[in-house]
Amino acid sequence: MPGGPRGGLVVERVRLGEGTVDYREAWELQRTRHAQVVAGEVPDTVLLLEHSPVYTAGRRTNSWERPDDGTPVVDVDRGGRITWHGPGQLVGYPIVRLRGALDVVGYVRRLEELLIAVAAGFGVRGYRVEDRTGVWTADEPLAPGWRAENKLAAIGVRVSRGVTMHGFALNCDTDLQGFSHIVPCGLPDAGATSLSARAGRRVGVLEAAAAVTALLPGADLPGAAQTGSRPRTDVVA
């Protein structure tokens, strides 16, 4: 199924491996690509990058959930509540046109399946939790009332004019202290973990990005299955 005037899916690595990207800069790039995909000027596109430390507050974030540790907090137009982004976390922004019967929930489930497959490639078992978006792993409960799940990857999306924005954040070799100043995604009974913590070795963002790119053709995202070939990868300075 064509993903634009040239078909297929483009993966843009935005300074990945060379430095972090300020959230507002990435947000502007998202909006630019979104307008281009809507207009049919470029194919469906996935931006892969690593953010400078930032909290992003979705539309359901309560005032008391906002941290005061000095890290920037940016209000965004996605669903969900507050989360943290920073070094060691692979952030992916698929900007793709939903087609046919694919709805937002179905699209989110496909993102989850993609990330579960990525984790499995590093020997980490990820899975879904009923009524909780994202990819999770299990540990022993830390205290009475504490659930066993720890979030490995967060997902938050928005669809405008039939084209998606925002996306996923996969903890690779993340300093998980970034989550200690908030209740991630508004879930007080669960924690956060990373590929490195679960795999028992360092898994960096470049290694995870390569796995995401390799698995995209089979992920059944719009544009990804074009001729079954690997998506093109463009580097954005």
Side-chain angles (χ1 to χ4, degrees), residues 161-190:
R161 301 178 68 184
V163 176
T164 64
M165 299 188 75
H166 303 290
F168 65 83
L170 175 63
N171 298 328
C172 300
D173 57 344
T174 317
D175 181 357
L176 298 174
Q177 286 300 310
F179 295 101
S180 65
H181 300 285
I182 60 171
V183 178
C185 302
L187 300 174
D189 60 348

Side-chain angles (χ1 to χ4, degrees), residues 47-139:
L47 306 176
L48 294 180
L49 53 91
E50 196 175 5
H51 276 307
S52 310
V54 65
Y55 296 105
T56 62
R59 292 188 297 260
R60 293 176 53 234
T61 302
N62 296 304
S63 59
W64 53 266
E65 294 176 301
R66 304 171 76 90
D68 57 1
D69 67 334
T71 303
V73 181
V74 179
D75 291 290
V76 293
D77 59 355
R78 60 164 171 78
R81 292 161 87 166
I82 196 161
T83 193
W84 176 86
H85 298 303
Q89 184 186 73
L90 177 66
V91 176
Y93 294 127
I95 304 169
V96 298
R97 185 182 299 279
L98 300 186
R99 295 174 175 84
L102 183 61
D103 60 8
V104 178
V105 174
Y107 167 69
V108 169
R109 295 295 170 260
R110 291 182 184 182
L111 285 181
E112 289 171 341
E113 287 296 329
L114 169 65
L115 297 174
I116 288 169
V118 169
F122 297 107
V124 177
R125 179 176 175 265
Y127 54 84
R128 295 191 185 100
V129 172
E130 187 176 359
D131 298 326
R132 292 189 167 184
T133 301
V135 176
W136 301 79
T137 62
D139 280 326

Side-chain angles (χ1 to χ4, degrees), residues 169-236:
L170 175 63
N171 298 328
C172 300
D173 57 344
T174 317
D175 181 357
L176 298 174
Q177 286 300 310
F179 295 101
S180 65
H181 300 285
I182 60 171
V183 178
C185 302
L187 300 174
D189 60 348
T193 189
S194 68
L195 285 175
S196 295
R198 301 298 298 180
R201 70 171 182 87
R202 181 180 179 273
V203 180
V205 292
L206 289 177
E207 195 173 358
V212 168
T213 302
L215 289 171
L216 274 172
D220 205 20
L221 294 182
Q226 177 83 359
T227 71
S229 61
R230 290 176 63 89
R232 293 192 302 277
T233 299
D234 295 344
V235 178
V236 177

Side-chain angles (χ1 to χ4, degrees), residues 20-69:
T20 58
V21 181
D22 180 80
Y23 186 85
R24 292 175 179 83
E25 178 187 347
W27 176 222
E28 185 60 35
L29 179 59
Q30 269 200 83
R31 285 185 285 193
T32 297
R33 290 291 178 272
H34 182 271
Q36 291 171 328
V37 172
V38 167
E41 296 171 353
V42 300
D44 294 336
T45 299
V46 179
L47 306 176
L48 294 180
L49 53 91
E50 196 175 5
H51 276 307
S52 310
V54 65
Y55 296 105
T56 62
R59 292 188 297 260
R60 293 176 53 234
T61 302
N62 296 304
S63 59
W64 53 266
E65 294 176 301
R66 304 171 76 90
D68 57 1
D69 67 334

